[in-house]
Amino acid sequence: MTELAAQLLESSQAPKIIQQVQAILHEEQNRRRAFYEWMDEDMKTEFINGEIVVHSPALDKHNLVVMHLGTLLNVFVSAHNLGAVRVEKALVELSRNSYEPDICYFGPEKAASIAPDSLYYPAPDLVVEVLSESKKKNDREVKFEDYAAHGVAEYWIIDPTRQTVETFSIDADTEAYAATGTFRVSQSVSSAVLSEFAIPVKSLFDNTANVMALRALLS
């Protein structure tokens, strides 16, 4: 039992509060179904805690990082037959919320469940979010907690302005994310889920470094 649930059950108002929460969540799911009918494949939209979030077009520095890392991950995973990588536009459906991560990786078991006509994706094994002004709060707060709660084993947050990569893995005791490092352009970053995937951080921000990293992965 979580600490929050234990605190709730100590209250004499617990049945009433639970009933109210259930009603709110039921209404949220109605709005979520309406969101699925409303959303357009050309828009980057998410459903977060009962609200529809429509994202503005991203800055070029954001798009460059997504393209660079998505390419490197996809080439590595494809070359070693390790599952599937999706870049944006993959609607990850969790118990309450629906997200479109910038990059997500699915291991072989989950990848096998993804059909050509799939619209909704399960919780990935690795999620990467690239920060921007419009979504950094959700990336660091709501998604941070939600991804861990749904067993996303590894989470990367990339800051294209500071040119850093922060990595997180689920702590076995707390079942929440614990920081495993902050990496800068002079360093390399590796994945806990994809143990042999290691790249220079600079390859996410620099075209020449990206090509060199790609060649190294293919060698």
Side-chain angles (χ1 to χ4, degrees):
M1 183 185 300
T2 65
E3 182 179 349
L4 184 59
Q7 291 174 353
L8 173 60
L9 291 175
E10 289 178 0
S11 170
S12 60
Q13 297 295 311
K16 181 179 180 180
I17 295 171
I18 291 171
Q19 186 178 34
Q20 291 174 340
V21 170
Q22 287 175 333
I24 292 170
L25 291 177
H26 177 72
E27 176 56 30
E28 269 193 17
Q29 290 308 306
N30 289 337
R31 291 201 298 273
R32 193 184 196 185
R33 284 189 286 272
F35 162 72
Y36 288 154
E37 294 176 1
W38 167 84
M39 65 182 183
D40 188 304
E41 65 180 11
D42 294 327
M43 301 170 62
K44 184 175 177 64
T45 59
E46 299 180 306
F47 188 83
I48 303 177
N49 291 352
E51 301 295 333
I52 295 174
V53 178
V54 180
H55 295 287
S56 302
L59 296 177
D60 187 65
K61 61 184 178 182
H62 177 285
N63 293 333
L64 188 68
V65 171
V66 173
M67 181 182 67
H68 280 166
L69 180 55
T71 299
L72 294 174
L73 267 173
N74 187 57
V75 165
F76 178 83
V77 168
S78 298
H80 295 86
N81 195 27
L82 294 174
V85 174
R86 296 293 181 266
V87 177
E88 300 183 315
K89 304 311 298 174
L91 190 65
V92 171
E93 187 179 47
L94 304 184
S95 57
R96 185 181 181 187
N97 297 319
S98 302
Y99 303 120
E100 288 190 347
D102 289 319
I103 302 171
C104 46
Y105 160 71
F106 304 90
E109 183 176 348
K110 291 181 180 179
S113 71
I114 301 172
D117 293 332
S118 292
L119 178 60
Y120 311 122
Y121 291 79
D125 295 295
L126 164 66
V127 164
V128 180
E129 296 285 10
V130 181
L131 295 179
S132 62
E133 284 301 317
S134 65
K135 68 187 194 74
K136 67 180 180 182
K137 180 178 174 63
N138 282 331
D139 289 348
R140 289 197 177 278
E141 296 179 9
V142 178
K143 292 182 181 182
F144 189 89
E145 181 178 332
D146 212 6
Y147 287 147
H150 287 82
V152 177
E154 187 174 11
Y155 185 33
W156 288 17
I157 295 177
I158 301 178
D159 188 329
T161 300
R162 293 180 172 82
Q163 297 193 338
T164 59
V165 181
E166 299 169 68
T167 61
F168 305 87
S169 292
I170 296 177
D171 182 274
D173 294 325
T174 65
E175 297 184 349
Y177 282 131
T180 52
T182 299
F183 303 90
R184 295 172 171 79
V185 289
S186 61
Q187 300 173 294
S188 291
V189 60
S190 59
S191 168
V193 171
L194 292 163
S195 58
E196 295 183 8
F197 182 77
I199 55 171
V201 172
K202 188 176 181 180
S203 68
L204 306 181
F205 309 105
D206 179 83
N207 288 331
T208 301
N210 186 258
V211 171
M212 292 175 64
L214 182 59
R215 287 173 176 164
L217 289 176
L218 289 172
S219 64

